[in-house]
Amino acid sequence: MRDLVYPPVIAFARTAFKVLDLRFLMSGTEHVPRTGGAVIALNHISYVDFVIGGYGAYPSGRRVRFMAKEVLFRNRFSGPLMRGMHHIAVDRSAGAASYREAIRYLGEGEVVGVFPEATISRSFELKEFKSGTVRMAAEAGVPVIPMILWGTQRMLTKDHPRDFSRHRPVSITVGAPITVTPEDDAVEATAHLRTTMAGMLDQTIRAYPEQPEGAWWLPASYGGGAPTPEEAARLDQEELDRRRTRQTKGGAD
């Protein structure tokens, strides 16, 4: 796949990392295959997860093609970049097209990045997973590579102002490849992936060098001030309701 946009974007991101003096705590990056197709499954806690998650594949020399909301491709600023890096637009009203494009990418030996939770987790713990991740890996005959990000929520996430302070630790934990076949039950395989990533997330949080009690970016179950999963679900629903109200009013004008 011809890449004219991705290399300069990577160079810009690496320069930004140096300017911010981010302290990357990376482990298991050797699990990202250097050749061939693979699906990278990531937790989702920040708007910068695309950038940091892509960096997790950098040691293996791979460029990740992320599945992302179609609205990002229509934006006059992000659109040219998303298309130029050959990311995959996801239109939730017509998801089959993006699914087929991801399968095609995997068949061509590309690495596709997927957020099985679909949206950012306000609790910073794992939400329920969609089964598309394991289904596409099974159909394409490629492994699923679990990846956990931590610390990115401190930069830019929902309900909090952006904060790109310097010297911040950022964790990237990559797990061993998970094999999924067409004969496997997609629900069970998805549950296994979520359980695996939940264990990785717990280890990553506990190994993170900063654990201030009551911190807004730390999950409630770890003594932090983040919403519980139940509170986060309520906030998600309220956000969805507001969006639907705006769409209804817009359609009525």
Side-chain angles (χ1 to χ4, degrees):
M1 187 173 289
R2 190 180 182 190
D3 273 316
L4 298 178
V5 176
Y6 223 137
V9 169
I10 292 174
F12 176 81
R14 294 185 69 196
T15 299
F17 297 160
K18 289 181 180 179
V19 170
L20 294 173
D21 192 27
L22 296 182
R23 293 187 288 141
F24 281 101
L25 309 171
M26 303 174 71
S27 65
T29 55
E30 70 278 3
H31 291 307
V32 178
R34 293 185 173 273
T35 60
V39 176
I40 293 183
L42 307 93
N43 66 317
H44 203 4
I45 54 177
S46 167
Y47 292 110
V48 300
D49 288 341
F50 293 94
V51 179
I52 304 300
Y55 191 62
Y58 185 76
S60 292
R62 305 306 300 272
R63 295 169 185 163
V64 183
R65 317 298 175 175
F66 283 99
M67 300 187 75
K69 293 179 180 179
E70 189 268 341
V71 66
L72 294 174
F73 293 76
R74 288 189 279 110
N75 182 280
R76 65 173 180 164
F77 299 110
S78 62
L81 294 175
M82 298 298 284
R83 291 189 294 272
M85 290 186 282
H86 304 289
H87 294 314
I88 302 169
V90 178
D91 184 346
R92 291 180 181 175
S93 64
S98 57
Y99 181 87
R100 297 314 309 173
E101 185 172 9
I103 294 294
R104 179 174 66 83
Y105 274 31
L106 293 168
E108 293 173 355
E110 297 289 339
V111 175
V112 173
V114 181
F115 297 98
E117 299 165 278
T119 60
I120 289 175
S121 169
R122 282 182 160 98
S123 72
F124 309 128
E125 297 190 57
L126 296 183
K127 302 171 69 172
E128 292 303 311
F129 279 17
K130 307 294 184 183
S131 64
T133 303
V134 300
R135 288 191 292 106
M136 71 173 61
E139 183 171 343
V142 301
V144 177
I145 313 296
M147 181 183 290
I148 291 294
L149 308 177
W150 191 250
T152 59
Q153 77 276 29
R154 301 175 67 184
M155 300 179 188
L156 186 60
T157 192
K158 289 185 175 182
D159 308 326
H160 295 277
R162 69 186 66 186
D163 181 2
F164 290 96
S165 299
R166 301 183 72 238
H167 317 304
R168 179 159 290 161
V170 175
S171 297
I172 303 175
T173 305
V174 185
I178 297 174
T179 300
V180 187
T181 70
E183 290 73 32
D184 292 330
D185 181 273
V187 174
E188 292 181 0
T190 299
H192 173 66
L193 173 63
R194 187 181 184 281
T195 299
T196 299
M197 292 180 64
M200 292 170 56
L201 177 60
D202 176 68
Q203 294 175 1
T204 302
I205 292 174
R206 294 184 186 281
Y208 194 70
E210 298 179 15
Q211 304 282 345
E213 186 175 355
W216 67 262
W217 49 265
L218 197 62
S221 59
Y222 291 80
T228 65
E230 294 75 21
E231 292 169 338
R234 177 180 57 80
L235 293 171
D236 288 345
Q237 186 59 53
E238 291 175 356
E239 180 185 31
L240 181 59
D241 292 342
R242 289 194 299 270
R243 188 181 305 138
R244 287 173 175 169
T245 299
R246 288 195 299 268
Q247 292 172 346
T248 301
K249 289 182 178 179
D253 291 339

